[in-house]
Amino acid sequence: MIRTYSKFLDKLETVEKIFLGITVAVMIIVMVYQVVLRYCFSAANSWSEELARYLFIYDVMIAAAIATRRNSHLQIDLLINLLKPKVKSIFTIIATLVGIVFLMFLLNYSLTLCQTAANNISAGLKISMSIPYACMPIGIILMILTSFEVIFQNLLQIQELGKREVNDQ
């Protein structure tokens, strides 16, 4: 079961990376366009800065999901690496569960924010503000999905370590 779930997340991560590659390229093009307009032609537009900002926010949320899957968020590795493998896995499971609880609260509030902002229109792009705000629930759902994989993998690791201890005795 975990293999099927991991394969699903592998495909999802591929889509996320393609999305990140495209949006970073678009951000660079839009920002260069804005700089050329502003400094070469003394003109400016309102949509380019706004588009770059919204794309960047989406990129941060998508990349956070990838970082969650790799368990590479900010942590004190020095202390964690001092722990025995079994204790380290248990600690990771507990920390990930706490993270999921926090993400569930955040998801609730982000959905409310999207609904509230649906009638507001952005100044530059003239789009509903629920579109930029949708990065929060999208990123949160992706982080929750990858958090479950982290938990499952650590549970399997604890199980394997338990089997090794029994075999060593």
Side-chain angles (χ1 to χ4, degrees):
M1 183 174 115
I2 184 69
R3 287 184 185 147
T4 306
Y5 189 64
S6 290
K7 285 181 183 179
F8 164 72
L9 288 180
D10 288 341
K11 290 177 184 175
L12 187 60
E13 185 175 324
T14 300
V15 171
E16 292 168 350
K17 287 179 179 179
I18 291 168
F19 176 82
L20 290 172
I22 291 169
T23 55
V24 167
V26 169
M27 275 193 303
I28 291 170
I29 292 167
V30 167
M31 289 166 50
V32 167
Y33 167 74
Q34 176 69 359
V35 168
V36 169
L37 260 183
R38 184 169 292 173
Y39 293 107
C40 295
F41 300 106
S42 297
N45 57 28
S46 58
W47 64 265
S48 59
E49 184 269 333
E50 200 171 86
L51 177 62
R53 182 179 342 127
Y54 295 158
L55 290 176
F56 180 73
I57 295 167
Y58 267 90
D59 287 352
V60 167
M61 294 304 294
I62 300 297
I66 294 171
T68 301
R69 186 170 190 213
R70 296 195 181 352
N71 201 24
S72 58
H73 278 292
L74 184 62
Q75 58 190 9
I76 304 172
D77 289 339
L78 178 66
L79 296 177
I80 292 172
N81 290 335
L82 291 174
L83 301 173
K84 293 179 181 179
K86 191 172 185 177
V87 176
K88 184 177 177 180
S89 290
I90 292 170
F91 179 77
T92 301
I93 290 169
I94 292 169
T96 305
L97 285 171
V98 169
I100 289 172
V101 170
F102 172 75
L103 288 170
M104 294 300 280
F105 282 112
L106 196 58
L107 179 62
N108 182 41
Y109 289 115
S110 67
L111 289 172
T112 303
L113 179 64
C114 285
Q115 291 170 346
T116 304
N119 295 328
N120 298 336
I121 303 298
S122 71
L125 291 173
K126 307 293 185 216
I127 59 172
S128 170
M129 286 303 292
S130 63
I131 294 172
Y133 290 160
C135 70
M136 288 294 291
I138 291 169
I140 290 167
I141 290 168
L142 292 171
M143 283 187 265
I144 290 171
L145 289 174
T146 56
S147 293
F148 284 125
E149 183 187 35
V150 170
I151 291 170
F152 293 145
Q153 288 176 340
N154 279 281
L155 286 171
L156 287 174
Q157 187 173 0
I158 291 170
Q159 186 180 21
E160 288 175 21
L161 290 169
K163 287 178 184 177
R164 286 183 198 160
E165 288 175 1
V166 170
N167 290 338
D168 288 345
Q169 292 175 353

